Amino acid sequence: MSQPRVLVLDDEPLPDLRRLTGRAEVLHTDEAGLAARLPEADVLLVWNFLSDAVRAAWPGEGHRPRWVHTASAGVDRLLPELADSDAVITNARGVFDQPIAEYVAGLVVAMAKDFAGTWELQRSREWRHRETMRVGGTQAVVVGSGPIGRAIGRTLKALGVMVEVIGRREKPDDEFGRVHAAEALGELLPSADWVVCAAPLTPATDGLFDARAFARMRPGACFVNIGRGAHVVTADLADALRAGRLRAAALDVFEEEPLPPGSELWEVPGLWISPHMSGDTLGWRKDLSEQFCDNFDRWAAGRPLLNVVDKQLGYVPAH
């Protein structure tokens, strides 16, 4: 019996798939060769999870991979083209939850304590005493009730922050008291000191944070996006920061990545920019490789896969 073929859409460094030796034929391709090689594959590992190549290369007819795994939490770069296919899509749910939560908590503390201002004053050798915010007792709204949003909420609660979580639908009797329905965002924004976007990118969340949303936020509030770049109308965010309606904002994701050197965002006052790294801690690629190999074990044994994405919703539903 021939071995199943696992096609890897490459990125450097390559995944460690030594556990598949003797059990699968591992093939590699770049974006240019993806369309030609997809019909050969039983499984597609989207290791280059920032690539949009899968949507363009996905075969309309003939043999197609039965299982597609993306080494990312978001699956928006696979949909909607794969939504009507019979391929099962899985994602990297669970790998990035706590690292991203720690990153967001670090941003909250850094903004509250004005670490950026301290660094600038140190560079200019200026001794200027200031008063900063107390984090405990402030209020946060976390948009996204999946594992990442929940990890963020728990970590902020450990700092003494009062947390409200927003999901697609209301859920009473939750660990956060309750999860609010998406429609509650407008009424919760005015009371929040921190607004964190950790939602999946769907048609309902595309452009969710626009001029109207920023106008509803408390004057002096801070905004953080670790979801997807398209969640934010960046021109509206830049206007809110320049006008002083928001005290600070942090973006780890952008519609165009890498962010071009000529982008106006580099010069927006109070905006913290990071290169899509909030979940990338030491050893993260090893964790992603192990997760895929664990799921391959299940696939090869005919057992249900973990982290199966609902292709209509665009994320792994909670169970």
Side-chain angles (χ1 to χ4, degrees):
M1 183 175 178
S2 60
Q3 294 179 343
R5 291 182 168 183
V6 176
L7 179 64
V8 182
L9 178 57
D10 285 343
D11 194 18
E12 294 293 341
L14 295 175
D16 181 0
L17 302 180
R18 286 174 291 181
R19 280 175 52 186
L20 306 189
T21 302
R23 305 171 58 209
E25 182 181 356
V26 178
L27 311 172
H28 294 271
T29 185
D30 57 13
E31 291 181 325
L34 180 62
R37 306 217 70 173
L38 269 175
E40 307 173 31
D42 300 297
V43 179
L44 173 64
L45 169 56
V46 186
W47 190 247
N48 181 1
F49 55 80
L50 295 178
S51 172
D52 291 315
V54 176
R55 291 189 301 198
W58 191 253
E61 298 179 356
H63 181 84
R64 296 178 288 194
R66 292 174 283 158
W67 168 31
V68 177
H69 178 81
T70 180
S72 63
V75 297
D76 47 284
R77 296 184 185 273
L78 302 177
L79 303 175
E81 282 75 5
L82 276 66
D84 295 327
S85 75
D86 55 2
V88 176
I89 299 177
T90 57
N91 72 352
R93 175 183 172 120
V95 171
F96 301 109
D97 305 356
Q98 191 55 35
I100 291 178
E102 293 169 4
Y103 198 91
V104 170
L107 286 169
V108 166
V109 172
M111 290 175 177
K113 303 305 179 184
D114 191 26
F115 287 166
T118 297
W119 173 239
E120 289 301 321
L121 290 169
Q122 178 182 335
R123 291 179 63 191
S124 62
R125 303 189 178 209
E126 182 177 352
W127 181 278
R128 187 194 305 170
H129 182 271
R130 285 128 45 237
E131 296 177 347
T132 62
M133 286 181 62
R134 174 183 287 186
V135 174
T138 59
Q139 299 185 53
V141 168
V142 178
V143 181
S145 61
I148 293 175
R150 289 179 175 278
I152 291 169
R154 294 185 199 107
T155 305
L156 292 180
K157 284 184 69 175
L159 294 173
V161 178
M162 296 176 285
V163 178
E164 302 285 357
V165 174
I166 295 177
R168 191 165 68 96
R169 291 193 292 259
E170 183 175 357
K171 180 182 178 183
D173 301 322
D174 188 78
E175 63 177 302
F176 296 99
R178 66 167 170 161
V179 171
H180 299 270
E183 295 75 21
L185 177 62
E187 65 187 64
L188 290 175
L189 286 177
S191 63
D193 300 290
W194 318 99
V195 178
V196 182
C197 180
L201 182 59
T202 68
T205 61
D206 192 345
L208 181 64
F209 289 96
D210 56 8
R212 184 169 56 178
F214 294 127
R216 291 190 65 84
M217 289 173 61
R218 171 184 291 177
C222 298
F223 174 75
V224 176
N225 184 25
I226 51 79
R228 283 291 183 263
H231 283 134
V232 180
V233 180
T234 51
D236 293 350
L237 174 62
D239 288 344
L241 286 165
R242 291 191 184 104
R245 292 195 298 275
L246 300 182
R247 186 161 58 87
L251 299 179
D252 185 56
V253 286
F254 302 85
E255 287 197 85
E256 182 178 2
E257 295 182 4
L259 186 66
S263 171
E264 67 166 7
L265 294 178
W266 294 106
E267 303 297 330
V268 174
L271 179 59
W272 298 40
I273 291 174
S274 55
H276 204 149
M277 57 177 282
S278 60
D280 300 349
T281 53
L282 296 174
W284 66 285
R285 291 183 179 88
K286 179 178 181 296
D287 293 339
L288 289 173
S289 296
E290 287 295 311
Q291 182 187 56
F292 174 75
C293 289
D294 288 345
N295 233 1
F296 182 88
D297 292 344
R298 301 177 71 91
W299 183 81
R303 298 166 57 202
L305 292 170
L306 300 177
N307 293 353
V308 174
V309 172
D310 184 315
K311 292 183 286 187
Q312 303 307 313
L313 293 177
Y315 53 87
V316 179
H319 297 289

